[in-house]
Amino acid sequence: GGDCSAVQDQLRNVQQIQATTGAFAAILADGSVVTWGRPDYGGDCSAVQDQLRNVQQIQATTGAFAAILADGSVVTWGRPDYGGDCSA
């Protein structure tokens, strides 16, 4: 997660950053999320990007992220064995 050059232009008005072992997730002022780092450790949130709106808070485990939305719902991504799949 040490190289954010691919998303550097998106990292404006950052409100919060959380990290897994291999990735970062930043909440922006508009409630959207920008991620970077190892895709398998949450650095790629493309599968849930359309759900990441009005994000209030993010928590991280070793390999996954969980975002709390304004309506109280939760969106997760990252390694399923670290909590990245809350569909069950």
Side-chain angles (χ1 to χ4, degrees):
D3 181 4
C4 68
S5 59
V7 296
Q8 185 71 59
D9 60 329
Q10 301 174 55
L11 293 173
R12 301 285 184 267
N13 301 311
V14 174
Q15 305 296 299
Q16 181 189 359
I17 290 180
Q18 288 289 334
T20 62
T21 298
F24 289 100
I27 304 175
L28 307 187
D30 65 359
S32 63
V33 173
V34 176
T35 61
W36 67 97
R38 286 184 52 162
D40 54 336
Y41 277 79
D44 178 6
C45 67
S46 59
V48 296
Q49 186 76 64
D50 60 332
Q51 301 173 56
L52 293 173
R53 301 285 182 265
N54 301 311
V55 174
Q56 303 295 298
Q57 185 180 355
I58 290 178
Q59 291 294 326
T61 64
T62 300
F65 293 104
I68 304 172
L69 309 188
D71 65 2
S73 62
V74 174
V75 176
T76 61
W77 70 98
R79 290 177 58 115
D81 52 337
Y82 284 104
D85 182 1
C86 67
S87 61

